[in-house]
Amino acid sequence: MRAHEIDYTIYGEEMQYVEIELDQNEGVVAEAGSFMMMHEGIKMETIFGDGSKQSSSLLDSIFGAGKRLLTGESLFMTAFYNTYPDKRSVSFASPYPGKILAVDLNKFGGKVICQKDAFLCAAKGVSVGIEFSKRLGRGLFGGEGFIMQKLEGDGMAFVHAGGTLATKELKAGEKLRVDTGCIVGFTKDVDYDIEFIGGIRNTVFGGEGLFFATLTGPGTVYVQSLPFSRLAGRVLSALPNGNNKKGEGSVLGGLGDLLNGDNRF
């Protein structure tokens, strides 16, 4: 199934939204809760899975919904169709401060892998599936677990990154080390693994966790400066009686905070 051809415009700086323009009968699918606004003439429909399969059998619907459960997403997605003869638009907003990345799957061999909560919306016909990690270490310590999302097809897809977005083009054999939570996504030819930081002081006092994510080219890697988990941690630590976690990934945890004079009595 070929994906619908859609036009789009991304607005804003820190809190962005994407406006997608649809011709008659064109459609877009989105995560539940990302909808912002739409013109009259746009029909909204709740569907099982991502709705990319041409078959409408119950088995296909259940299988598509089951894949979404494995990635921690809702059983349902929302599809929006233009029922009017002239162009109409529908908009989707970022869930928190950051950037919206437009990905043309045609340019990347029809497949991009991304973290589980990065997907925002896509042209109708793009498949939102699951990507299993074949490496035990990556699954246990890679920050994203054994399962990531994969976007497949020949249309446009939109993903969200927290903070500032960095795009890195890796040559064959070139390696990039990244904090495990800062990965947004990467193209299908990039090799993703984890690497132990090493060193007693780095491990105990470094506050950066025990592992790096290593991405080896060739391919394109997208990195975010503000993962949602980090943002949430900072908010929680600022709340009254909240847990102040300056050490973040440090093995010493609260003891490290005490040594830094950050605990208040």
Side-chain angles (χ1 to χ4, degrees), residues 138-226:
R138 169 181 155 183
L140 291 175
F141 307 111
E144 301 300 334
F146 287 97
I147 300 172
M148 299 182 75
Q149 279 188 330
K150 63 179 177 182
L151 309 177
E152 293 182 296
D154 55 6
M156 293 297 303
F158 301 87
V159 298
H160 178 260
T164 301
L165 177 70
T167 303
K168 299 296 182 182
E169 301 289 344
L170 302 182
K171 299 176 182 178
E174 185 179 2
K175 182 180 291 187
L176 182 69
R177 294 180 175 89
V178 183
D179 180 275
T180 55
C182 290
I183 298 173
V184 177
F186 46 89
T187 53
K188 65 179 184 178
D189 292 327
V190 172
D191 181 63
Y192 171 43
D193 205 349
I194 57 103
E195 179 181 312
F196 182 61
I197 290 178
I200 297 298
R201 283 186 296 180
N202 289 336
T203 302
V204 177
F205 300 106
E208 301 299 337
L210 301 179
F211 299 91
F212 292 127
T214 60
L215 300 115
T216 307
T220 304
V221 177
Y222 300 103
V223 182
Q224 59 187 348
S225 66
L226 183 63

Coordinates of all heavy atoms in Angstrom, one line a residue, residues 138-226:
R138 N 22.1 -5.0 24.8 CA 21.4 -3.8 24.3 C 20.0 -3.7 24.9 O 19.5 -2.7 25.3 CB 21.3 -3.8 22.8 CG 20.4 -2.8 22.2 CD 20.3 -2.9 20.7 NE 19.1 -2.4 20.1 CZ 18.8 -2.4 18.8 NH1 19.6 -2.9 18.0 NH2 17.6 -1.9 18.4
G139 N 19.3 -4.9 25.0 CA 18.0 -5.0 25.5 C 17.9 -4.7 27.0 O 17.0 -4.0 27.5
L140 N 18.9 -5.2 27.8 CA 18.9 -5.0 29.2 C 19.4 -3.6 29.6 O 18.9 -3.1 30.6 CB 19.8 -6.1 29.9 CG 19.3 -7.5 29.8 CD1 20.3 -8.5 30.4 CD2 17.9 -7.6 30.5
F141 N 20.4 -3.1 28.9 CA 21.0 -1.9 29.4 C 21.0 -0.7 28.4 O 21.5 0.4 28.7 CB 22.5 -2.1 29.7 CG 22.7 -3.3 30.6 CD1 23.3 -4.5 30.2 CD2 22.4 -3.2 32.0 CE1 23.5 -5.6 31.0 CE2 22.6 -4.3 32.8 CZ 23.1 -5.5 32.4
G142 N 20.3 -0.9 27.3 CA 20.3 0.2 26.3 C 19.4 1.3 26.5 O 19.4 2.2 25.7
G143 N 18.6 1.3 27.6 CA 17.8 2.5 27.9 C 16.4 2.4 27.2 O 15.4 2.8 27.7
E144 N 16.4 1.7 26.0 CA 15.1 1.6 25.3 C 14.6 0.2 25.4 O 13.5 -0.1 24.8 CB 15.4 2.0 23.8 CG 15.9 3.4 23.5 CD 14.9 4.4 24.1 OE1 13.7 4.2 24.1 OE2 15.4 5.5 24.4
G145 N 15.3 -0.7 26.1 CA 14.8 -2.1 26.2 C 14.9 -2.9 25.0 O 15.7 -2.5 24.0
F146 N 14.2 -4.0 24.9 CA 14.3 -4.9 23.8 C 13.5 -4.4 22.6 O 13.7 -4.9 21.5 CB 13.8 -6.3 24.2 CG 14.8 -7.1 25.1 CD1 14.6 -7.1 26.5 CD2 15.9 -7.7 24.6 CE1 15.4 -7.7 27.3 CE2 16.7 -8.4 25.4 CZ 16.5 -8.4 26.8
I147 N 12.6 -3.5 22.8 CA 11.7 -3.1 21.8 C 11.8 -1.7 21.4 O 11.7 -0.8 22.3 CB 10.2 -3.5 22.2 CG1 10.1 -5.0 22.4 CG2 9.2 -3.1 21.1 CD1 8.7 -5.4 23.0
M148 N 11.9 -1.3 20.2 CA 11.8 0.1 19.7 C 10.8 0.1 18.6 O 10.2 -0.9 18.2 CB 13.2 0.5 19.2 CG 14.3 0.5 20.2 SD 15.8 1.2 19.6 CE 15.5 2.9 19.5
Q149 N 10.4 1.3 18.1 CA 9.4 1.4 17.1 C 10.2 1.5 15.7 O 11.3 2.0 15.6 CB 8.6 2.7 17.2 CG 7.5 2.6 18.2 CD 6.6 3.8 18.2 OE1 7.0 4.9 17.9 NE2 5.3 3.6 18.5
K150 N 9.5 0.9 14.7 CA 10.0 1.1 13.3 C 8.9 1.7 12.5 O 7.8 1.3 12.5 CB 10.5 -0.2 12.8 CG 9.5 -1.3 12.6 CD 10.1 -2.6 12.0 CE 9.1 -3.7 11.9 NZ 9.7 -4.9 11.3
L151 N 9.3 2.6 11.7 CA 8.4 3.3 10.7 C 8.8 2.8 9.3 O 9.9 3.0 8.9 CB 8.6 4.8 10.8 CG 8.5 5.4 12.2 CD1 8.7 6.9 12.2 CD2 7.1 5.1 12.9
E152 N 7.8 2.2 8.6 CA 8.1 1.6 7.3 C 7.1 2.2 6.3 O 5.9 2.4 6.6 CB 8.0 0.1 7.4 CG 9.1 -0.5 8.2 CD 9.0 -2.0 8.2 OE1 8.0 -2.6 8.7 OE2 10.0 -2.7 7.7
G153 N 7.6 2.3 5.1 CA 6.7 2.7 4.0 C 7.4 3.7 3.0 O 8.7 3.8 3.0
D154 N 6.6 4.4 2.3 CA 7.2 5.4 1.3 C 6.6 6.8 1.4 O 6.7 7.6 0.5 CB 6.9 4.8 -0.1 CG 5.5 4.6 -0.4 OD1 4.6 4.9 0.5 OD2 5.1 4.1 -1.5
G155 N 6.1 7.1 2.6 CA 5.6 8.4 2.9 C 6.3 9.2 3.9 O 7.4 8.9 4.4
M156 N 5.6 10.3 4.4 CA 6.2 11.2 5.4 C 5.8 10.7 6.8 O 4.6 10.3 7.0 CB 5.7 12.6 5.2 CG 6.2 13.3 3.9 SD 8.0 13.4 3.8 CE 8.3 14.4 5.3
A157 N 6.7 10.8 7.7 CA 6.4 10.5 9.1 C 7.0 11.6 9.9 O 8.0 12.2 9.5 CB 7.0 9.1 9.5
F158 N 6.4 11.8 11.1 CA 6.9 12.9 11.9 C 7.2 12.4 13.4 O 6.3 11.7 13.9 CB 5.8 14.1 12.0 CG 5.5 14.6 10.6 CD1 4.5 14.0 9.8 CD2 6.2 15.7 10.2 CE1 4.3 14.5 8.6 CE2 5.9 16.2 8.9 CZ 4.9 15.6 8.1
V159 N 8.3 12.7 13.9 CA 8.7 12.3 15.2 C 9.1 13.5 16.0 O 9.5 14.5 15.5 CB 9.9 11.2 15.2 CG1 9.5 10.0 14.4 CG2 11.1 11.8 14.5
H160 N 9.0 13.3 17.3 CA 9.3 14.5 18.2 C 10.6 14.2 19.0 O 10.8 13.1 19.5 CB 8.1 14.7 19.2 CG 8.4 15.8 20.2 ND1 8.8 15.6 21.5 CD2 8.3 17.1 20.0 CE1 9.0 16.7 22.1 NE2 8.7 17.7 21.2
A161 N 11.4 15.2 19.2 CA 12.6 15.2 19.9 C 12.6 16.2 21.0 O 12.1 17.3 20.8 CB 13.9 15.4 19.1
G162 N 13.1 15.9 22.2 CA 13.1 16.9 23.3 C 14.3 17.8 23.3 O 15.4 17.4 23.0
G163 N 14.0 19.1 23.5 CA 15.1 20.0 23.5 C 15.6 20.4 22.1 O 14.8 20.6 21.2
T164 N 16.9 20.4 21.9 CA 17.5 20.6 20.6 C 17.8 19.3 19.9 O 18.2 18.4 20.5 CB 18.8 21.5 20.7 OG1 18.4 22.7 21.4 CG2 19.4 21.8 19.4
L165 N 17.5 19.3 18.6 CA 17.7 18.1 17.8 C 19.1 18.2 17.0 O 19.4 19.2 16.4 CB 16.6 17.9 16.7 CG 16.7 16.8 15.8 CD1 16.5 15.4 16.5 CD2 15.7 16.9 14.6
A166 N 19.9 17.1 17.1 CA 21.1 17.0 16.4 C 21.0 15.9 15.4 O 20.5 14.8 15.7 CB 22.3 16.8 17.3
T167 N 21.5 16.2 14.1 CA 21.5 15.2 13.1 C 22.9 14.9 12.7 O 23.7 15.8 12.4 CB 20.8 15.7 11.8 OG1 19.4 16.1 12.1 CG2 20.8 14.7 10.7
K168 N 23.3 13.6 12.9 CA 24.7 13.2 12.6 C 24.7 12.2 11.4 O 24.0 11.2 11.5 CB 25.3 12.5 13.9 CG 25.3 13.4 15.1 CD 26.3 14.6 14.8 CE 26.4 15.5 16.0 NZ 27.3 16.6 15.8
E169 N 25.5 12.5 10.4 CA 25.7 11.6 9.3 C 27.0 10.8 9.5 O 28.1 11.4 9.6 CB 25.8 12.4 8.0 CG 24.6 13.3 7.7 CD 23.4 12.4 7.3 OE1 23.6 11.3 7.0 OE2 22.3 13.0 7.3
L170 N 26.8 9.5 9.7 CA 28.0 8.6 10.0 C 28.5 7.9 8.7 O 27.6 7.4 7.9 CB 27.6 7.6 11.0 CG 27.1 8.1 12.4 CD1 26.8 7.0 13.3 CD2 28.1 9.1 13.0
K171 N 29.8 7.9 8.5 CA 30.4 7.2 7.4 C 30.5 5.7 7.8 O 30.3 5.3 9.0 CB 31.7 7.7 7.1 CG 31.7 9.2 6.6 CD 33.1 9.7 6.4 CE 33.1 11.2 6.0 NZ 34.5 11.7 5.9
A172 N 30.8 4.8 6.9 CA 30.9 3.4 7.2 C 32.0 3.2 8.2 O 33.1 3.7 8.1 CB 31.3 2.7 5.9
G173 N 31.7 2.5 9.3 CA 32.6 2.3 10.4 C 32.8 3.4 11.4 O 33.4 3.2 12.4
E174 N 32.2 4.5 11.1 CA 32.3 5.7 12.1 C 31.4 5.4 13.2 O 30.2 5.0 13.1 CB 32.0 7.0 11.4 CG 32.1 8.2 12.2 CD 31.8 9.5 11.5 OE1 31.4 9.4 10.3 OE2 32.0 10.6 12.1
K175 N 31.9 5.7 14.5 CA 31.1 5.3 15.7 C 30.8 6.6 16.5 O 31.6 7.5 16.6 CB 31.9 4.4 16.5 CG 31.2 3.9 17.8 CD 32.0 3.0 18.6 CE 32.2 1.6 17.9 NZ 32.8 0.6 18.8
L176 N 29.6 6.7 17.0 CA 29.1 7.8 17.8 C 28.6 7.2 19.1 O 27.8 6.3 19.2 CB 28.0 8.5 17.1 CG 27.4 9.8 17.8 CD1 28.5 10.9 17.8 CD2 26.1 10.2 17.1
R177 N 29.1 7.8 20.2 CA 28.7 7.4 21.6 C 27.7 8.4 22.1 O 27.9 9.6 22.1 CB 29.8 7.2 22.5 CG 30.8 6.1 22.2 CD 32.0 6.1 23.2 NE 32.8 5.0 23.0 CZ 33.9 5.0 22.2 NH1 34.2 6.1 21.5 NH2 34.7 3.9 22.0
V178 N 26.5 7.9 22.5 CA 25.4 8.7 22.9 C 24.8 8.2 24.3 O 24.8 7.0 24.5 CB 24.3 8.7 21.8 CG1 23.2 9.6 22.2 CG2 24.8 9.0 20.5
D179 N 24.4 9.2 25.1 CA 23.6 8.8 26.3 C 22.4 8.0 25.8 O 21.7 8.3 24.8 CB 23.1 10.0 27.0 CG 22.3 9.7 28.3 OD1 21.1 9.5 28.1 OD2 22.9 9.7 29.4
T180 N 22.1 6.9 26.5 CA 21.1 6.0 26.0 C 19.7 6.6 25.9 O 18.9 6.3 25.0 CB 21.0 4.7 27.0 OG1 20.7 5.2 28.3 CG2 22.2 3.9 26.9
G181 N 19.4 7.6 26.7 CA 18.1 8.3 26.7 C 18.0 9.3 25.6 O 16.9 9.8 25.3
C182 N 19.2 9.7 25.0 CA 19.2 10.8 24.1 C 19.0 10.4 22.6 O 18.9 11.3 21.7 CB 20.5 11.6 24.2 SG 20.6 12.6 25.7
I183 N 18.8 9.1 22.4 CA 18.6 8.7 21.0 C 17.1 8.9 20.6 O 16.2 8.6 21.3 CB 18.9 7.2 20.8 CG1 20.3 6.9 21.2 CG2 18.5 6.7 19.4 CD1 20.6 5.4 21.2
V184 N 16.9 9.6 19.5 CA 15.6 9.8 18.9 C 15.3 8.7 17.9 O 14.3 8.0 17.9 CB 15.5 11.2 18.2 CG1 14.1 11.3 17.6 CG2 15.7 12.3 19.2
G185 N 16.3 8.5 17.0 CA 16.1 7.4 15.9 C 17.3 7.3 15.1 O 18.3 8.1 15.2
F186 N 17.3 6.3 14.2 CA 18.4 6.1 13.2 C 17.9 5.3 12.0 O 16.9 4.7 12.1 CB 19.6 5.5 13.9 CG 19.2 4.3 14.7 CD1 19.1 3.0 14.2 CD2 18.9 4.4 16.1 CE1 18.8 1.9 15.0 CE2 18.6 3.3 16.9 CZ 18.5 2.0 16.3
T187 N 18.7 5.4 11.0 CA 18.3 4.7 9.7 C 18.6 3.2 9.8 O 19.4 2.8 10.7 CB 19.0 5.4 8.5 OG1 20.4 5.5 8.7 CG2 18.4 6.8 8.3
K188 N 18.1 2.5 9.0 CA 18.1 1.0 9.1 C 19.5 0.4 9.0 O 19.7 -0.7 9.5 CB 17.2 0.4 8.1 CG 17.7 0.6 6.6 CD 16.7 -0.2 5.6 CE 17.2 -0.1 4.2 NZ 16.3 -0.8 3.3
D189 N 20.5 1.0 8.4 CA 21.8 0.5 8.2 C 22.7 0.8 9.4 O 23.9 0.3 9.5 CB 22.5 1.0 6.9 CG 21.8 0.4 5.7 OD1 21.3 -0.7 5.8 OD2 21.7 1.2 4.7
V190 N 22.3 1.6 10.3 CA 23.1 1.9 11.5 C 23.1 0.8 12.5 O 22.0 0.2 12.8 CB 22.6 3.2 12.2 CG1 23.3 3.5 13.5 CG2 22.8 4.4 11.3
D191 N 24.2 0.4 13.0 CA 24.4 -0.7 14.0 C 24.3 -0.1 15.4 O 25.1 0.8 15.7 CB 25.7 -1.4 13.8 CG 25.8 -2.6 14.8 OD1 25.0 -3.5 14.7 OD2 26.7 -2.5 15.6
Y192 N 23.3 -0.5 16.2 CA 23.1 0.0 17.5 C 23.5 -1.0 18.6 O 23.0 -2.1 18.5 CB 21.6 0.4 17.7 CG 21.2 0.8 19.1 CD1 22.0 1.6 19.9 CD2 20.0 0.4 19.6 CE1 21.6 1.9 21.2 CE2 19.5 0.7 20.8 CZ 20.4 1.5 21.6 OH 19.9 1.8 22.9
D193 N 24.4 -0.6 19.5 CA 24.8 -1.5 20.6 C 25.0 -0.6 21.8 O 24.9 0.6 21.8 CB 26.0 -2.3 20.2 CG 26.2 -3.6 20.9 OD1 25.4 -3.8 21.9 OD2 27.1 -4.4 20.6
I194 N 25.5 -1.3 22.9 CA 25.8 -0.5 24.1 C 27.2 -0.8 24.5 O 27.8 -1.9 24.2 CB 24.8 -0.9 25.3 CG1 24.8 -2.4 25.6 CG2 23.4 -0.4 25.0 CD1 25.6 -2.7 26.8
E195 N 27.8 0.1 25.3 CA 29.3 0.0 25.6 C 29.4 0.4 27.1 O 28.9 1.5 27.5 CB 30.1 0.9 24.7 CG 31.6 0.9 25.0 CD 32.3 1.8 24.1 OE1 32.1 1.7 22.8 OE2 33.1 2.6 24.6
F196 N 30.1 -0.4 27.9 CA 30.4 -0.1 29.3 C 31.3 1.1 29.4 O 32.3 1.2 28.7 CB 31.0 -1.3 30.0 CG 31.3 -1.1 31.4 CD1 30.2 -0.8 32.3 CD2 32.5 -1.2 31.9 CE1 30.5 -0.7 33.7 CE2 32.8 -1.0 33.3 CZ 31.7 -0.7 34.2
I197 N 31.0 2.1 30.2 CA 31.8 3.3 30.4 C 33.2 3.0 30.8 O 34.2 3.5 30.3 CB 31.1 4.3 31.3 CG1 29.8 4.9 30.6 CG2 32.0 5.5 31.7 CD1 29.0 5.9 31.5
G198 N 33.3 2.2 31.9 CA 34.6 1.8 32.4 C 35.2 2.8 33.3 O 34.9 4.0 33.3
G199 N 36.1 2.3 34.2 CA 36.7 3.2 35.2 C 35.9 3.3 36.5 O 34.7 3.6 36.4
I200 N 36.5 3.0 37.6 CA 35.8 3.0 38.9 C 35.2 4.4 39.2 O 34.1 4.5 39.5 CB 36.8 2.6 40.0 CG1 37.2 1.2 39.8 CG2 36.0 2.8 41.4 CD1 36.1 0.2 39.8
R201 N 36.0 5.5 39.0 CA 35.5 6.8 39.3 C 34.4 7.2 38.3 O 33.4 7.8 38.8 CB 36.6 7.8 39.2 CG 37.5 7.8 40.5 CD 38.6 8.9 40.4 NE 39.5 8.8 39.3 CZ 40.5 9.6 39.0 NH1 40.7 10.7 39.8 NH2 41.3 9.4 38.0
N202 N 34.5 6.8 37.1 CA 33.5 7.1 36.1 C 32.2 6.4 36.5 O 31.1 7.0 36.4 CB 33.9 6.7 34.7 CG 35.0 7.6 34.1 OD1 35.1 8.8 34.5 ND2 35.7 7.1 33.2
T203 N 32.3 5.2 36.9 CA 31.1 4.4 37.2 C 30.4 4.8 38.5 O 29.2 4.9 38.5 CB 31.5 2.9 37.3 OG1 32.2 2.4 36.1 CG2 30.3 2.0 37.6
V204 N 31.2 5.1 39.5 CA 30.7 5.4 40.8 C 30.2 6.8 40.9 O 29.2 7.2 41.5 CB 31.6 5.0 41.9 CG1 31.1 5.4 43.3 CG2 31.9 3.5 41.9
F205 N 31.1 7.7 40.5 CA 30.9 9.2 40.7 C 30.5 9.9 39.4 O 30.1 11.1 39.5 CB 32.1 9.8 41.3 CG 32.6 9.2 42.6 CD1 33.7 8.4 42.6 CD2 31.9 9.5 43.7 CE1 34.1 7.8 43.8 CE2 32.3 9.0 44.9 CZ 33.4 8.1 45.0
G206 N 30.5 9.3 38.3 CA 30.3 10.0 37.0 C 28.9 10.6 36.8 O 28.7 11.6 36.2
G207 N 27.9 9.9 37.4 CA 26.5 10.4 37.3 C 25.9 10.3 35.9 O 24.9 10.8 35.6
E208 N 26.6 9.5 35.0 CA 26.1 9.4 33.6 C 25.6 8.0 33.3 O 25.5 7.6 32.2 CB 27.2 9.7 32.6 CG 27.8 11.2 32.7 CD 26.7 12.2 32.5 OE1 25.7 11.9 31.8 OE2 26.8 13.3 33.0
G209 N 25.4 7.2 34.4 CA 25.0 5.8 34.1 C 26.2 4.9 33.9 O 27.3 5.3 34.0
L210 N 25.9 3.7 33.6 CA 27.0 2.7 33.4 C 27.3 2.4 32.0 O 28.4 1.9 31.7 CB 26.6 1.3 34.1 CG 26.2 1.4 35.6 CD1 25.8 0.0 36.0 CD2 27.4 1.9 36.4
F211 N 26.5 2.8 31.0 CA 26.6 2.5 29.6 C 26.4 3.6 28.7 O 25.6 4.5 29.0 CB 25.7 1.3 29.2 CG 25.9 0.1 30.0 CD1 25.2 -0.2 31.2 CD2 26.8 -0.9 29.6 CE1 25.3 -1.3 31.9 CE2 26.9 -2.1 30.3 CZ 26.2 -2.3 31.5
F212 N 27.1 3.6 27.6 CA 26.9 4.5 26.5 C 26.1 3.7 25.4 O 26.2 2.4 25.3 CB 28.1 5.0 25.8 CG 29.0 5.9 26.6 CD1 30.3 5.6 26.8 CD2 28.4 7.1 27.1 CE1 31.1 6.5 27.5 CE2 29.2 7.9 27.8 CZ 30.6 7.7 28.0
A213 N 25.3 4.3 24.6 CA 24.8 3.7 23.4 C 25.8 4.0 22.3 O 26.3 5.1 22.2 CB 23.5 4.3 23.0
T214 N 26.2 3.0 21.5 CA 27.1 3.2 20.4 C 26.4 2.9 19.1 O 25.7 1.9 18.9 CB 28.3 2.2 20.5 OG1 27.9 0.8 20.5 CG2 29.1 2.4 21.8
L215 N 26.5 3.9 18.2 CA 25.9 3.8 16.9 C 27.0 3.9 15.8 O 27.8 4.8 15.8 CB 24.9 4.9 16.7 CG 23.8 4.9 17.8 CD1 23.8 6.1 18.6 CD2 22.4 4.8 17.1
T216 N 27.0 2.8 15.0 CA 28.1 2.7 14.0 C 27.5 2.8 12.6 O 26.5 2.1 12.3 CB 28.8 1.4 14.2 OG1 29.3 1.2 15.5 CG2 30.0 1.3 13.2
G217 N 28.1 3.7 11.8 CA 27.6 3.9 10.4 C 27.9 2.8 9.5 O 28.6 1.8 9.8
P218 N 27.4 2.9 8.2 CA 26.9 4.1 7.6 C 25.4 4.4 8.0 O 24.6 3.5 8.2 CB 27.0 3.9 6.1 CG 26.8 2.4 6.0 CD 27.4 1.8 7.3
G219 N 25.0 5.7 8.0 CA 23.6 6.1 8.2 C 23.5 7.4 8.9 O 24.5 8.1 9.2
T220 N 22.2 7.7 9.2 CA 21.9 8.9 9.8 C 21.4 8.7 11.2 O 20.6 7.7 11.4 CB 20.8 9.7 9.0 OG1 21.3 9.9 7.7 CG2 20.5 11.0 9.7
V221 N 21.8 9.5 12.2 CA 21.4 9.3 13.6 C 20.8 10.6 14.1 O 21.4 11.7 13.8 CB 22.6 8.9 14.5 CG1 22.2 8.9 16.0 CG2 23.2 7.6 14.1
Y222 N 19.7 10.6 14.8 CA 19.0 11.8 15.3 C 19.1 11.7 16.9 O 18.8 10.7 17.5 CB 17.6 11.9 14.9 CG 17.4 11.9 13.4 CD1 17.0 10.8 12.7 CD2 17.7 13.1 12.7 CE1 16.8 10.9 11.3 CE2 17.5 13.2 11.3 CZ 17.1 12.0 10.7 OH 17.0 12.1 9.3
V223 N 19.6 12.8 17.5 CA 19.9 12.8 18.9 C 19.2 14.0 19.5 O 19.2 15.1 18.9 CB 21.4 12.9 19.2 CG1 21.7 12.9 20.7 CG2 22.2 11.8 18.5
Q224 N 18.6 13.8 20.7 CA 17.9 14.9 21.4 C 18.7 15.3 22.6 O 19.4 14.5 23.3 CB 16.5 14.5 21.8 CG 16.5 13.3 22.7 CD 15.1 12.8 23.0 OE1 14.1 13.4 22.7 NE2 15.0 11.6 23.6
S225 N 18.6 16.6 22.9 CA 19.4 17.2 24.1 C 18.6 17.0 25.4 O 19.2 17.1 26.5 CB 19.7 18.6 23.8 OG 18.5 19.4 23.8
L226 N 17.3 16.8 25.3 CA 16.4 16.8 26.5 C 15.5 15.6 26.5 O 14.3 15.8 26.1 CB 15.7 18.1 26.7 CG 14.8 18.2 28.0 CD1 15.7 18.2 29.2 CD2 14.0 19.5 28.0

